[in-house]
Amino acid sequence: MSKPEKSKSKNIYRCQACGHESPKWAGRCPDCGQWNSMAEERRTPRRAPAAFQAPEPLSNVRSAAGDRVSTKIGELDRVLGGGVVMGSVVLVGGDPGIGKSTILLQAASKLPGPVLYLSAEESSEQIKARAERLRIDEGPIMVMPEINLEHALSEAGRLNPSAMIVDSIQTVYTGDLSSAPGSVGQVRESAAKLMRFAKTTGTPVFIVGHVTKEGMIAGPRVLEHIVDTVLYFEGQRGHSFRVLRAVKNRFGSTNEIGVFEMTDAGLKVVENPSELFLAERPMDASGSVVAASMEGTRPLLVELQALVSASTYSVARRSSLGVDFQRVGMILAVLEKVAGLHLAGTDIFLNVVGGLKLEEPAADLAVSAAVVSSLREKPVAPGTFTFGEIGLSGEVRAVSHAEARLKEASKIGLKNAVIPWGNAEKLNGKAYGLRITGVKNVHEAIEALF
Ligand SMILES: Nc1ncnc2c1ncn2[C@@H]1O[C@H](COP(=O)(O)OP(=O)(O)OP(=O)(O)O)[C@@H](O)[C@H]1O
Ligand SMILES: [Mg+2]
């Protein structure tokens, strides 16, 4: 954060760490001593506004629940909760080059009426080149290369677009503050202005936010509480698929994900993500297990890998990517204590293939299966998958959505299911063409899997 130019306005500077207010900028907060924490803010007079809205019975308020527009991109609509809500502000965050501009340009071409694309970091020619590469309908897109938000908003008022896209929030600035674009004060004030525009005109606004190196500072995080919906675009380097995840949604579930594949013609919706995530699964390899997980209301089969090897270090290394580290620690302890596995002195690495995250406890059985498989160098029988939560005494507990998981697995051709006894019992003989083994504890699970 560089020292802003001398301010003519009577703005104030507030420490982002302790809230200390100062009329002058300082590199270090004079109160709490934090470096680079002073951000500019507009001084708002504390007078009561002349006009205000009187309270009214909630039953008289018009319902706006149905006011959604479809982006015609199925996976984006799903993550938004069934299309974008009129007058809502959606933040799309993600690493550089992940495809934020691409998906919004693709969505813009499908929306009815003019869509104002405020491009604050790329020229109109660059947007044109992208649109040509994506072979999209350029008809509805009005491109505006501009970094001044007041200019953009006055044009938006004139144009009355069906949606507005701001690419990106870190490169636009409002003349109300003297600090540089991308600073915490600018990012927050600009977002607040866009929010007011969205609410007063009913225009949906999409804001692109870069995840900056500093992460918290001036990145999308400072905006999360201002906007209505926060979507993060995730993906792994070298992989072509991308996952769009809702981390906050005032108008829908936050458990939904959208799966896309990045191609030279843009982002393509992946109709059957399970197939994609299992496509390169090695056959007959130890340490690899298929987990039937749920992402919101959607079942997803993913490959979980473990590598257990004798440690050459005095402190054994344990790492997990995509599964909760604390939970893995607990499962390993159960495997040692209850199943009698010798894991002391071994390095253990766990990885969910494809950069996905398995956050539900239902992944426990797959974690233990992968560890046992790698430790014993014994592959799990082909066509086998598992799900189930493990308790501290080694019992396997039933999980939700068992039937959806089984159906999805059967759809992509898996054959054997090792699942909690509590779930198997409730199936009343329904098998979805699978051989189902219900297990009560980790012993039985290991027995059934190997
Ligand atoms: N000619 C191409 N062929 C295939 N893929 C391409 C091509 N050009 C760009 N891409 C893909 O598009 C990605 C860039 O997409 P996009 O510009 O939408 O990302 P972004 O998230 O907006 O990036 P930034 O942070 O730079 O704004 C590249 O990383 C690449 O994967
Ligand atoms: Mg971009």
Side-chain angles (χ1 to χ4, degrees), residues 22-228:
S22 154
K24 278 195 315 200
W25 184 84
R28 185 180 191 190
C29 173
D31 195 13
C32 69
Q34 181 86 14
W35 286 97
N36 280 338
S37 66
M38 302 295 285
E40 191 182 13
E41 256 179 37
R42 217 155 47 128
R43 176 179 303 213
T44 39
R46 296 256 158 80
R47 276 180 281 118
F52 63 93
Q53 264 193 311
E56 61 178 320
L58 187 55
S59 53
N60 288 0
V61 178
R62 196 183 69 88
S63 165
D67 294 355
R68 289 182 189 264
V69 208
S70 167
T71 62
K72 307 266 170 51
I73 301 178
E75 298 287 283
L76 178 60
D77 278 353
R78 165 205 282 276
V79 180
L80 288 167
V84 61
V85 172
M86 299 309 286
S88 70
V89 177
V90 180
L91 173 69
V92 180
D95 289 335
I98 199 89
K100 302 178 291 295
S101 306
T102 305
I103 194 168
L104 290 179
L105 198 65
Q106 284 181 283
S109 74
K110 302 274 180 58
L111 288 165
V115 175
L116 181 59
Y117 193 109
L118 175 64
S119 179
E121 55 191 36
E122 288 175 299
S123 65
S124 304
E125 288 73 22
Q126 281 172 296
I127 306 287
K128 174 81 182 176
R130 179 176 294 121
E132 280 177 345
R133 175 164 58 82
L134 304 178
R135 278 180 240 112
I136 55 170
D137 173 17
E138 298 169 0
I141 303 170
M142 300 287 290
V143 60
M144 183 179 186
E146 175 62 65
I147 61 169
N148 182 292
L149 199 59
E150 279 75 27
H151 291 172
L153 286 176
S154 91
E155 280 305 300
R158 208 178 50 81
L159 199 63
N160 191 20
S162 63
M164 180 172 175
I165 293 166
V166 179
D167 191 357
S168 69
I169 193 70
Q170 278 105 350
T171 43
V172 294
Y173 80 96
T174 158
D176 290 354
L177 302 186
S178 58
S179 44
S183 61
V184 177
Q186 279 287 356
V187 164
R188 200 181 279 161
E189 187 62 29
S190 301
K193 281 215 153 150
L194 288 164
M195 190 79 177
R196 278 196 293 278
F197 167 75
K199 298 294 163 211
T200 50
T201 61
T203 314
V205 176
F206 292 90
I207 298 178
V208 172
H210 295 289
V211 175
T212 51
K213 271 261 151 41
E214 300 88 38
M216 302 293 285
I217 300 177
R221 303 232 61 151
V222 302
L223 296 181
E224 282 182 355
H225 64 278
I226 304 179
V227 301
D228 297 309

Side-chain angles (χ1 to χ4, degrees), residues 1-7 13 24-27 36 178-180:
M1 209 179 299
S2 59
K3 183 179 186 320
E5 302 148 33
K6 193 162 170 49
S7 167
Y13 294 86
K24 278 195 315 200
W25 184 84
N36 280 338
S178 58
S179 44

